[in-house]
């Protein structure tokens, strides 16, 4: 019996997925899981966030190319970040995404269908999904604040008053 624990996972539609107009298609595929989307935004990635997101890969030879790809050097700077929530969310989403290497991914998976390996050796695999609950917590906290997550209180948070410059409509 699988443990039907509710868990959260971070999904990012990467710049190649956005550029190839796959956003709707990917969200449709992920809806097969019947999980809930509890946060979503279009955003861009700073170098700091890209490096922190992939901090487990800093020693890899492809790290710099990976960071450039995620920052939009080859497609668009936009990415879509989402949090999916529900029973066994992490493995359900990873299964539909497919293997890291798009050539090894099952053809029916998102990465198998739409990913490619570039001549620079970058795996342009269209989508990110957290690998473990520990990774999911680190990644969700990197991409979203507590107030951006709808309905579910995922992790402990606290109230604070901040004095910071923000843009408002002119
Ligand atoms: P995943 O994205 O499946 O969790 P990962 O965390 O090991 O895989 O790697 C993060 C990203 O780095 C991955 O989506 C694509 C890129 N990558 C991983 N291994 C690679 C390799 N051997 N060559 C080129 N890019 C790679
Ligand atoms: Mg990973």
């Amino acid at each position: 019996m699988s443990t039907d624990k509710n868990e959260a996972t971070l999904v990012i539609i990467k710049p190649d997925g956005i550029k190839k107009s796959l956003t709707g298609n990917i969200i449709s595929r992920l809806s097969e899981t019947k999980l809930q989307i509890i946060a979503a935004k279009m955003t861009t990635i700073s170098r700091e966030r890209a490096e922190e997101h992939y901090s487990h890969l800093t020693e890899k030879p492809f790290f710099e190319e990976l960071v450039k790809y995620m920052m939009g050097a080859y497609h668009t700077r936009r990415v879509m970040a989402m949090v999916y929530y529900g029973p066994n969310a992490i493995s359900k989403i990873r299964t539909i995404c497919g293997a890291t290497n798009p050539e090894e991914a099952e053809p029916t998976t998102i990465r198998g269908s739409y990913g490619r390996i570039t001549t620079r050796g970058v795996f342009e695999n269209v989508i990110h999904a957290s690998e473990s609950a520990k990774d999911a917590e680190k990644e969700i906290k990197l991409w979203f604040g507590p107030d951006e997550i709808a309905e579910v209180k995922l992790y402990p948070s606290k109230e604070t008053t901040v004095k910071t410059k923000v843009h408002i409509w002119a």
Side-chain angles (χ1 to χ4, degrees):
M1 270 288 286
S2 65
T3 56
D4 278 329
K5 193 164 60 79
N6 280 339
E7 54 187 15
T9 186
L10 181 80
V11 169
I12 301 165
I13 303 178
K14 296 181 178 182
D16 52 326
I18 301 290
K19 184 79 177 181
K20 291 173 173 172
S21 296
L22 293 172
T23 305
N25 188 305
I26 288 171
I27 292 172
S28 292
R29 289 297 313 276
L30 296 181
S31 71
E32 292 165 20
T33 61
K34 304 282 188 276
L35 296 165
Q36 295 169 24
I37 299 172
I38 59 169
K41 63 180 170 191
M42 294 300 300
T43 185
T44 56
I45 317 187
S46 63
R47 172 167 285 274
E48 291 70 33
R49 188 186 284 170
E51 289 182 351
E52 182 57 33
H53 181 81
Y54 283 130
S55 58
H56 61 298
L57 299 171
T58 44
E59 303 303 319
K60 300 286 185 192
F62 56 80
F63 183 70
E64 179 57 26
E65 279 298 325
L66 174 64
V67 166
K68 278 173 73 180
Y69 155 55
M70 287 300 285
M71 288 172 63
Y74 306 117
H75 306 91
T76 167
R77 292 200 59 227
R78 284 169 299 129
V79 296
M80 186 166 185
M82 294 176 284
V83 178
Y84 279 78
Y85 180 77
N88 302 314
I90 293 168
S91 67
K92 280 181 187 161
I93 298 275
R94 288 280 298 188
T95 301
I96 296 180
C97 288
T100 305
N101 181 335
E103 281 188 0
E104 288 172 2
E106 291 291 331
T108 53
T109 62
I110 292 169
R111 287 169 165 180
S113 301
Y114 304 117
R116 66 170 190 158
I117 303 176
T118 68
T119 47
R120 287 186 217 88
V122 181
F123 293 178
E124 289 185 357
N125 57 11
V126 176
I127 188 168
H128 167 82
S130 309
E131 283 174 68
S132 66
K134 189 166 160 279
D135 284 357
E137 179 171 350
K138 177 203 148 188
E139 293 169 2
I140 290 167
K141 287 178 173 175
L142 180 65
W143 285 80
F144 290 96
D147 290 335
E148 294 179 290
I149 297 170
E151 226 170 19
V152 183
K153 191 167 164 52
L154 288 180
Y155 313 113
S157 61
K158 57 185 179 187
E159 273 189 339
T160 186
T161 306
V162 288
K163 228 182 179 179
T164 178
K165 255 190 200 169
V166 294
H167 286 105
I168 58 169
W169 303 120

